[in-house]
Amino acid sequence: MTDHSDATVLTELSNALANAVEKAAESIVTVKARRRLPGSGVAWAADVIVTANHIVERDEDITMGLPDGTEKTATLVGRDQGSDLAVLRLAGGSLTPAERAPDGSARVGHMVLAVGRPSSDGPTASSGVISVVGGPWRSFAGAQVEGYIRADLTLYPGFSGGPLVDSAGRVVGINSSHLGRGAGLSLPINAVSRITDALLKGGRIKRGYLGIGNQPVRLPAGLAERVGGQESGLLIVSVEAGTPADKAGLLVGDIVISLGGNKVQDTDDLQNALGPESVGKTEKLGVLRGGEPTELSITIGERS
């Protein structure tokens, strides 16, 4: 026989979760920007929607299904493939901006809900607990991302671009079935805020570009001693014509060991040195050529 107090607690919890979904749903739209099933989006401001980049397959003819059941057109402000985020603008928008949870408030064990609006039928939800709060990490598209949230819930079709919300209905992240190569992940609210601000200002996230193919390689003990004990570098296996690497005189067989005075021992080290602030800068590139340390000057380009 179920204790009455236990039933009351479950009822209160159920009502709290339903209230959280209702609150979040006031700021969730349907994003119709691809041929198949629409996705979801979150009202960031009265006229700004944040969604998942991979569901925005076209730059024009984008339609929003609003919480009140009406439809309006939206324009693409900017997109970032690396973080799978896109920002849309609704002309004359009067959306209810979502309430955002404080940065870093998501903790392992917290109960959360993935909420989407994949159709005009209304919001859809899935619940679970946060199993991992991780990062920083490098996405499969090569972008350095501050972190990620993994929850043991189901991201149903059309949930991408919608919010992960806490028990108070506040947004703790943006959901993506694409960011983790098929495994559902959420980009934390602090990362979403930074990327959204950058897209609103410039329409894209700048990332540095050299134009090389490379692979990590261990340095022989003798070479390692000559470069301050560094045990590995990046072996250049290809150089694209006309790129910053080509113009700087990099050759296949060179081993990159530093950029801008910072050690380069693996691919992550190189990508970390090619952040937005690096674009257009001329830096010293340390390489081993024929076993001899040398230094080249390279002007970092921007990845298209």
Side-chain angles (χ1 to χ4, degrees):
M1 184 173 179
T2 303
D3 185 89
H4 179 70
S5 61
D6 291 341
T8 300
V9 169
L10 290 175
T11 299
E12 290 176 349
L13 175 60
S14 294
N15 287 334
L17 295 180
N19 291 338
V21 171
E22 288 181 2
K23 177 181 177 179
E26 295 175 353
S27 305
I28 301 174
V29 301
T30 305
V31 179
K32 300 179 181 179
R34 58 181 176 180
R35 287 170 291 180
R36 51 193 180 88
L37 181 71
S40 302
V42 179
W44 205 250
D47 62 343
V48 174
I49 297 117
V50 174
T51 187
N53 175 65
H54 77 272
I55 70 170
V56 185
E57 294 181 348
R58 52 182 182 263
D59 293 351
E60 300 177 344
D61 191 27
I62 300 172
T63 304
M64 298 287 103
L66 306 188
D68 63 6
T70 62
E71 286 195 354
K72 288 188 177 181
T73 58
T75 56
L76 178 66
V77 175
R79 61 168 82 232
D80 179 44
Q81 181 181 1
S83 61
D84 195 32
L85 282 184
V87 175
L88 310 173
R89 192 178 296 280
L90 197 66
S94 57
L95 299 171
T96 300
E99 182 179 353
R100 307 172 206 171
D103 289 351
S105 63
R107 296 167 56 194
V108 173
H110 274 173
M111 180 167 283
V112 287
L113 300 121
V115 188
R117 193 184 292 275
S119 73
S120 59
D121 292 338
T124 308
S126 173
S127 67
V129 299
I130 294 176
S131 53
V132 179
V133 177
W137 66 296
R138 187 163 304 286
S139 73
F140 76 93
Q144 183 75 10
V145 182
E146 287 96 322
Y148 67 92
I149 299 171
R150 188 187 299 278
D152 65 343
L153 46 70
T154 301
L155 292 184
Y156 292 110
F159 269 34
S160 284
L164 186 72
V165 303
D166 62 17
S167 57
R170 303 175 302 180
V171 178
V172 298
I174 299 296
N175 299 321
S176 171
S177 62
H178 188 73
L179 198 58
R181 286 187 178 270
L185 293 178
S186 304
L187 197 65
I189 194 67
N190 59 332
V192 176
S193 296
R194 180 186 65 79
I195 295 166
T196 297
D197 288 346
L199 292 177
L200 286 170
K201 290 177 181 177
R204 69 185 189 279
I205 304 295
K206 289 185 177 181
R207 291 192 172 90
Y209 175 69
L210 300 184
I212 59 174
N214 61 83
Q215 63 184 42
V217 62
R218 289 190 64 82
L219 303 180
L223 275 180
E225 290 178 4
R226 295 184 62 186
V227 293
Q230 184 170 329
E231 297 181 349
S232 61
L234 290 179
L235 175 67
I236 305 301
V237 296
S238 65
V239 178
E240 299 175 35
T243 60
D246 184 32
K247 295 175 182 177
L250 268 174
L251 303 175
V252 172
D254 286 344
I255 299 174
V256 176
I257 57 173
S258 67
L259 177 61
N262 298 312
K263 288 183 178 181
V264 174
Q265 302 186 82
D266 53 32
T267 303
D268 279 350
D269 286 345
L270 181 60
Q271 292 299 325
N272 289 339
L274 296 176
E277 71 287 343
S278 71
V279 176
K281 284 188 176 181
T282 299
E283 299 281 13
K284 296 298 183 182
L285 186 72
V287 302
L288 293 172
R289 178 172 292 173
E292 293 296 324
T294 188
E295 199 170 65
L296 304 174
S297 181
I298 188 166
T299 301
I300 299 169
E302 181 180 351
R303 184 177 297 278
S304 59

